[in-house]
Amino acid sequence: MNHSLKPWNTFGIERDAALIVRAENEQQLFNAWKDAVKNQQPVLILGEGSNVLFLEDFAGTVIVNRIMGIHIEEQADAWLLHVGAGENWHKLVQFTLEQGMPGLENLALIPGCVGSSPIQNIGAYGLELQHVCEYVDCIELETGNPLRLSAEECRFGYRDSIFKHEYQDRYAIVAVGLRLPKVWQPILSYGDLTRLAPATVTPKAVFDSVCHMRMTKLPDPKVNGNAGSFFKNPVITAEDAQTLLIQFPDIPHYPQADGSVKLAAGWLIDRCDLKGTRIGGAAVHQHQALVLINASCATGQDVVELAHLVRQRVGEKFNVWLEPEVRFIGQTGEVNAVEIIA
């Protein structure tokens, strides 16, 4: 039987899995995991596959997490949301705004499921998940026992969390707890948002502006398969940033609280004249250099070779070495993306 992974990854890479199981509750997820382990098969838990690149056929069970539900508790100063891991992230953002509960609008149109959001500590336009996350509910895969992690225990970092490290293969995320304060503070520090007036701006105006920026900059995965931003924005030392600024005075740079400086990966790639560059069926997007696309029946290997070329060119020009934000999946599970494209 053909268990195609093409519908389950936004890159649209044609690969197969030994088995694909859709889990609509914790018990189904746990049972599917237990069965795979009993059969000595590797297991991969997927949301909407919006941040993965399949390099090979997957030799085991892919569990598609579709645990749904949104529960709202109102407090004097905030709304508390308990959201199932299988809920679509953007639909959640829309839902909260429609219910008069702003706070997520800067994260509009980020592809994927709610359960994936803590893994990456998703972020955009000045807001990260960690700013609104209260807790993450998991089950321990070996026992099925529930575990609630506070936001602090999730060890959130830039596109990073405990779920990318020691909890990666031991726990499955089943729900996320969010806290949206009733006193709304607009975050207008990036892109077109800087043109909005803080005194009169509405949550809907921020949402609309974010959607406009994303839709004009980023390709639609239904047209050209992609996983959004392919590379992380690199974070370098203040000293290295000063050296770069002498050579490239117009380089966008964002000082961080710890003294480091974040650069715009898309700008670095653009300055290497890589837009439109193609290897096999994979290409650097014509309008947004940070996005690698499946232009025509690309394989995982096409994307890897293109990512390697981009990393080398940027490294040679700026001495800044990009790291993929996208997770690379091999035959038995996730592999080290930096090593693959180095």
Side-chain angles (χ1 to χ4, degrees), residues 214-215 217-226 285 288 291-293:
R214 291 191 79 93
M215 286 191 293
K217 278 169 55 176
L218 302 171
D220 184 346
K222 295 181 188 75
V223 180
N224 287 122
N226 70 86
H285 192 248
Q288 172 49 276
V291 179
L292 304 188
I293 62 168

Side-chain angles (χ1 to χ4, degrees), residues 262-275:
K262 188 186 286 183
L263 304 177
W267 187 92
L268 300 174
I269 300 165
D270 196 9
R271 286 300 177 276
C272 294
D273 296 322
L274 286 164
K275 279 181 180 169

Side-chain angles (χ1 to χ4, degrees), residues 106-161:
N106 291 56
L107 303 178
L109 275 183
I110 291 181
C113 285
V114 168
S116 309
S117 63
I119 300 172
Q120 284 286 102
N121 182 24
I122 60 169
Y125 303 110
L127 180 67
E128 288 185 327
L129 181 83
Q130 64 179 325
H131 300 134
V132 292
C133 182
E134 277 277 281
Y135 61 81
V136 176
D137 280 354
C138 312
I139 56 167
E140 186 177 22
L141 290 165
E142 203 171 309
T143 61
N145 292 339
L147 173 72
R148 174 167 289 186
L149 292 178
S150 67
E152 197 177 12
E153 289 169 318
C154 292
R155 294 217 314 263
F156 290 125
Y158 174 56
R159 300 296 169 271
D160 200 26
S161 70

Side-chain angles (χ1 to χ4, degrees), residues 1 21 56 67 95 124 139 208 210 243 246 254 276:
M1 189 176 168
V21 177
E56 306 168 85
I67 300 171
F95 171 79
I139 56 167
D208 289 343
V210 168
T243 306
I246 292 164
Y254 307 96

Side-chain angles (χ1 to χ4, degrees), residues 162-183:
I162 197 169
F163 305 107
K164 280 191 164 186
H165 301 286
E166 58 263 51
Y167 279 19
Q168 185 173 359
D169 299 315
R170 291 172 50 206
Y171 292 89
I173 295 170
V174 295
V176 176
L178 303 173
R179 183 179 188 276
L180 303 179
K182 287 187 174 176
V183 177

Side-chain angles (χ1 to χ4, degrees), residues 128 158-159 190 232-237 241 251-256 259-265:
E128 288 185 327
Y158 174 56
R159 300 296 169 271
Y190 282 82
K232 297 177 188 176
N233 287 321
V235 178
I236 62 174
T237 64
I251 191 168
H253 57 289
Y254 307 96
Q256 303 297 293
S260 62
V261 177
K262 188 186 286 183
L263 304 177

